[in-house]
Amino acid sequence: MGYLFMAYTIIWALLAGYIFVLGKRQKDLKKELKVLEDWKSEQ
Amino acid sequence: MKQPSAFVDRMLYILLVPAMFVSLYLIFIWSPIEKQMGASQKIFYFHVSTAWVAFLAFFVVGYYCVLMLKRPTEDRFIKAGISAEIGVVFTTITLLTGMIWGKSAWNTWWTWEPRLVTVLILLFIYIAYLFVRKMEGTWEKIAKLSAVFGIIGCINVPIVFMAIRWWNTKLHPVVFGEGKNQSGGGVEPDMLVTLLFCIGTITLLYLFMMRKGIEIEKMRLTVRKAKSRVIEKLAS
């Protein structure tokens, strides 16, 4: 039972980790896009 | 009106969430407990599913890499890169769950057995592929150089699949099809239903991640182009 728990913990941790990385990339890009849009509207 | 791509994303999400819960129900409650290995055998469902998706991801990389050698485009470069990233994540999961399976079934975390070694080589090839993509240089040159790595990795996929059949390993069982001195088809019907459902669910997860990843990378491209326009404007 311990091995089963260990395996599924690793599976969910890695999947959640990758989804978190994707989410962070998107968040950072949205921030950059906002800065560029603000700059454009100021011009 | 909503964009069709947003609709597809939403549909994928709507299908994926219940499918994941049904998979977990099938694994932990519905499917029988195997007599010899006990509960640890249930690792098998996600282990095989993630291995299947890793292979699929690397075939997708190979497909776009061949196209890139013919004519490199940003769209192909992005799709190959995201598929490789997902492939690396799923191969890591396959290797780690395989190690845990090995410890419970063979009483060892690692053994230099053909299937394990070929999977490890596959993982290293795609990690190298992702590093090559980050190299400095002209975009076209990097696209073509990384495409070569992508194709080499893709060629390794059938070798991984056939390893236990060609080198007649006693440790890794042949589940589907016939191997040397081993007969395939060793999955009970209830277990097979669970396995096929899990493969379907993880494939949906791959499609969802792939679409999200492509969307993000295209956004990155837009930001980069907007930045260079700003720099040009400031310089003039």
Side-chain angles (χ1 to χ4, degrees):
Chain A
M1 203 67 173
Y3 292 123
L4 183 67
F5 179 75
M6 197 193 292
Y8 279 89
T9 306
I10 286 172
I11 291 167
W12 292 114
L14 281 173
L15 289 179
Y18 185 64
I19 289 168
F20 176 78
V21 167
L22 285 182
K24 190 163 179 338
R25 278 183 200 166
Q26 193 172 26
K27 206 176 158 187
D28 291 347
L29 284 168
K30 273 183 181 169
K31 264 187 204 167
E32 278 190 61
L33 213 57
K34 174 112 185 33
V35 171
L36 285 166
E37 275 168 4
D38 288 348
W39 181 85
K40 201 179 170 188
S41 60
E42 277 170 21
Q43 294 301 301
Chain B
M1 207 177 98
K2 276 185 181 173
Q3 285 185 339
S5 66
F7 174 75
V8 174
D9 283 344
R10 202 169 172 76
M11 283 310 291
L12 269 176
Y13 186 73
I14 288 169
L15 281 173
L16 184 62
V17 174
M20 204 53 101
F21 281 109
V22 174
S23 293
L24 293 176
Y25 170 79
L26 290 175
I27 293 170
F28 292 107
I29 297 164
W30 192 74
S31 65
I33 293 174
E34 208 261 339
K35 280 176 193 162
Q36 266 191 321
M37 280 192 69
S40 301
Q41 181 271 339
K42 289 175 187 285
I43 296 170
F44 162 83
Y45 301 112
F46 264 40
H47 172 70
V48 175
S49 308
T50 50
W52 148 254
V53 171
F55 289 171
L56 173 71
F58 294 144
F59 272 125
V60 171
V61 177
Y63 170 73
Y64 284 113
C65 284
V66 169
L67 292 180
M68 252 191 314
L69 278 184
K70 277 186 175 175
R71 190 170 62 87
T73 63
E74 278 167 342
D75 184 60
R76 288 168 182 173
F77 189 67
I78 285 172
K79 283 175 180 166
I82 290 298
S83 196
E85 263 187 28
I86 300 170
V88 165
V89 172
F90 280 103
T91 309
T92 310
I93 291 175
T94 307
L95 263 181
L96 292 175
T97 52
M99 283 169 74
I100 296 166
W101 170 285
K103 181 65 183 164
S104 71
W106 314 326
N107 200 28
T108 179
W109 292 105
W110 184 264
T111 172
W112 295 100
E113 186 250 3
R115 171 60 65 83
L116 272 69
V117 174
T118 48
V119 172
L120 191 64
I121 292 168
L122 185 71
L123 180 66
F124 288 154
I125 291 172
Y126 279 101
I127 289 173
Y129 168 79
L130 291 174
F131 276 116
V132 171
R133 287 171 61 94
K134 304 271 177 203
M135 270 169 46
E136 290 288 323
T138 58
W139 176 80
E140 276 203 354
K141 209 174 171 183
I142 289 168
K144 286 196 171 174
L145 183 65
S146 64
V148 175
F149 272 82
I151 292 165
I152 292 169
C154 188
I155 292 167
N156 196 31
V157 172
I159 298 172
V160 173
F161 184 75
M162 293 305 289
I164 52 173
R165 290 161 178 84
W166 288 340
W167 290 292
N168 192 26
T169 167
K170 292 278 179 252
L171 281 176
H172 231 113
V174 177
V175 179
F176 301 107
E178 299 279 326
K180 274 184 194 170
N181 306 324
Q182 290 168 302
S183 58
V187 183
E188 281 222 359
D190 286 356
M191 291 178 174
L192 190 63
V193 170
T194 308
L195 176 65
L196 293 176
F197 196 89
C198 288
I199 289 175
T201 306
I202 301 293
T203 309
L204 273 180
L205 181 64
Y206 165 74
L207 291 174
F208 181 75
M209 284 175 162
M210 188 76 186
R211 289 184 66 85
K212 276 283 154 206
I214 291 168
E215 186 191 315
I216 292 165
E217 287 310 307
K218 285 191 173 166
M219 195 194 276
R220 190 191 304 282
L221 205 64
T222 311
V223 169
R224 203 190 307 147
K225 281 177 182 168
K227 268 183 184 172
S228 56
R229 273 200 299 272
V230 169
I231 291 167
E232 270 172 30
K233 210 169 183 180
L234 286 174
S236 62

